[in-house]
Structure formats: structure tokens, C-alpha cells
Amino acid sequence: MDEKLNVLLMIQSIDTKFDNISREKEETPKEIEKLKEGLDLLDSTVEQNLSTVEELKKERRKVERELEEIDLKLKKSKLRLNEVKSNREYQAVLKEIEDLKDFTFQKEETVIKWMEEIEIQEKKCADNTVRREESQEEYKSNEKAFSQRIRELDKEVQSLNEKRVQLSPNLDEDLLRQYNGLRSHLKGRVVVPVIDGVCQECHLGIPPQQYNELIKGDSLQSCPHCSRIIYWEDDSGI
Ligand SMILES: [Zn+2]
């Protein structure tokens, strides 16, 4: 019985490793996917930042052109000041010049406002570009590490498969079928020790008579509660 049990436990240990490998293969791409999502988000943020800066510069240029036009008008008005005939007309041109100067002042304020806003947006854009580069580096290195890990895992799977194939003939078919059947619908271990009369997976007690049989070790038994294959483990020395 010991021999059968040992083989079964070895097979279980191999299958547990298979499970861990599958889990790792499933979970890592999710992490990488998350990094990719973050990177895409930064991509569109940087794009948005750039277009905001572009829009602001357009606005600034528009106001600058308006300023040039006002300046032209101002020069013309100043020239007209020398040509006017009446005092009334002179006052009117003076008023026009004052208004144009006010207008220039307002437009200049606007240009300053746009320039400050452009500076803020350019800073945001630069910061996000740096973050984007860092994020891309992280994504690339994770992806590279993952491909490398996959290759290692594939090798491990291959060698585990070989070991399992070597072990299977040492186990009788009925037991292997029982083991595979349990594995297909139970989570975790399906061959478990019973310590002090308690199944170590479902934590329920084994009836005394069955427990005595288990201690004798003549046959492999099933837990009456969770159906897992059980064996006796002596912990008296612990
Ligand atoms: Zn149990």
C-alpha cells in the first residue's frame, strides 16, 4: 500500500505543479494587460495635451494678429491727428486713439493669459510624456520577462509530463481513474492525510473503525464526508 500511496502522492504533487503553472500563465497576462491599458491611457492623455497646447497657440496667434491690426489703426489715427481741421474732429481722433490703446492693453492681457496657460499645458504634457516613457519601459520589460517565464514553464511542463507518464504504469488503473475523477470536480488536494482521526481537507472526523483500518494501512480509503482518498499520517512524533 505504501508504494501505491507514494506513487499517488507523487502524481498529485506533479498535478499541483501543473495547476500552479496554469494559474501563473493566466494571471501574468492580466497584469500585463493592465499595464497596457495604463499605457494606452497615457498615450491618449499626451495626445490630448498636445492638441490642447496647439489650440491655445492658435488662440494666442489670433489675438496677436488682432494686436497687429489695432497697431496699424493706431498709427493711421496718429497720422490723421496732423491732418484734422477742426477741434471737434481732433477730439474725436484723440478719443479713437485712447480707445485703441485700451483695446491694445486688453488684448495684451489676453496674450499673457494664453501664454501662461500654454506654459501650464506644456508642463503637463512634458510630465505625462515622461510618465508615458516610464510606463512603456515597465510594460516592455514585463512582457519580456513573461515570454522568458513562459519558455521556462513550458520546459517544466514537458519534464513534469515525462515524469507523470513514467509514474502512471506503477499505479493501478482503478485508483488512477478514481484520482482523476476526484480531481476533475474537487478543488485542491484529493489525496489527503488523516491526522488524529481528522481528514485534513474537510476537517471532519473519520469513524473510529475506519480510522483503525486506515492505521493498519492495508487499503487506501475514502473520506466518508468529502470522498477524497485518505491515508493515515502519524503525528505522534511531532
Ligand atoms: Zn474529508
Side-chain angles (χ1 to χ4, degrees):
M1 191 43 61
D2 272 357
E3 172 61 19
K4 266 190 193 173
L5 180 64
N6 283 337
V7 176
L8 197 56
L9 285 174
M10 277 192 267
I11 288 181
Q12 173 164 265
S13 140
I14 288 172
D15 287 343
T16 306
K17 282 178 189 158
F18 277 138
D19 289 346
N20 292 341
I21 289 173
S22 321
R23 202 171 307 123
E24 191 179 335
K25 275 182 162 179
E26 271 172 33
E27 279 168 9
T28 320
K30 277 183 210 151
E31 286 165 29
I32 292 179
E33 194 50 44
K34 233 184 245 173
L35 285 174
K36 181 78 173 79
E37 276 168 24
L39 185 61
D40 288 346
L41 190 66
L42 276 171
D43 263 347
S44 65
T45 308
V46 169
E47 210 173 292
Q48 184 65 45
N49 289 152
L50 282 171
S51 93
T52 305
V53 168
E54 219 30 66
E55 280 302 311
L56 288 170
K57 282 182 176 172
K58 244 187 235 170
E59 288 296 327
R60 189 193 65 190
R61 278 196 295 273
K62 201 175 116 193
V63 183
E64 281 170 345
R65 273 197 302 275
E66 283 169 1
L67 264 171
E68 282 166 19
E69 281 165 24
I70 298 168
D71 193 49
L72 269 180
K73 279 184 193 164
L74 203 55
K75 277 175 186 155
K76 274 183 196 164
S77 298
K78 280 176 182 170
L79 285 174
R80 270 177 54 215
L81 213 50
N82 304 322
E83 295 161 6
V84 290
K85 306 278 186 276
S86 69
N87 187 42
R88 203 177 145 198
E89 208 181 338
Y90 186 80
Q91 291 303 328
V93 178
L94 264 189
K95 171 81 172 62
E96 199 179 281
I97 289 172
E98 275 316 300
D99 287 348
L100 285 169
K101 278 183 179 170
D102 279 351
F103 205 31
T104 302
F105 180 73
Q106 283 168 25
K107 291 287 171 189
E108 278 171 350
E109 289 279 289
T110 310
V111 170
I112 289 169
K113 201 186 87 194
W114 286 133
M115 282 168 88
E116 282 169 355
E117 189 59 31
I118 287 167
E119 206 174 308
I120 292 168
Q121 291 299 329
E122 278 179 336
K123 172 87 174 65
K124 261 193 202 171
C125 186
D127 289 348
N128 283 326
T129 304
V130 170
R131 280 174 60 204
R132 191 200 164 280
E133 276 163 16
E134 286 167 356
S135 177
Q136 192 171 30
E137 277 307 304
E138 194 188 354
Y139 170 68
K140 271 188 190 167
S141 84
N142 268 270
E143 208 182 31
K144 197 178 160 193
F146 179 60
S147 321
Q148 205 173 330
R149 183 77 185 125
I150 285 288
R151 280 196 293 275
E152 284 168 19
L153 291 176
D154 286 345
K155 261 187 212 166
E156 207 177 320
V157 164
Q158 202 181 340
S159 100
L160 286 170
N161 264 325
E162 282 162 13
K163 270 188 206 158
R164 206 182 189 285
V165 168
Q166 280 166 12
L167 285 171
S168 294
N170 300 333
L171 205 61
D172 66 60
E173 274 180 33
D174 285 346
L175 189 56
L176 194 61
R177 204 173 300 123
Q178 187 190 354
Y179 166 83
N180 287 332
L182 286 168
R183 251 186 77 78
S184 67
H185 69 274
L186 289 176
K187 277 182 181 168
R189 297 179 298 175
V190 299
V191 190
V192 294
V194 169
I195 298 173
D196 284 340
V198 176
C199 165
Q200 294 302 299
E201 198 64 29
C202 70
H203 304 290
L204 293 172
I206 307 298
Q209 202 184 339
Q210 192 185 5
Y211 186 49
N212 287 335
E213 289 291 317
L214 205 61
I215 293 174
K216 275 191 219 160
D218 295 335
S219 59
L220 278 175
Q221 309 216 9
S222 296
C223 170
H225 311 290
C226 68
S227 313
R228 287 180 170 84
I229 301 165
I230 48 175
Y231 62 92
W232 178 59
E233 196 168 280
D234 182 11
D235 76 334
S236 57
I238 297 165

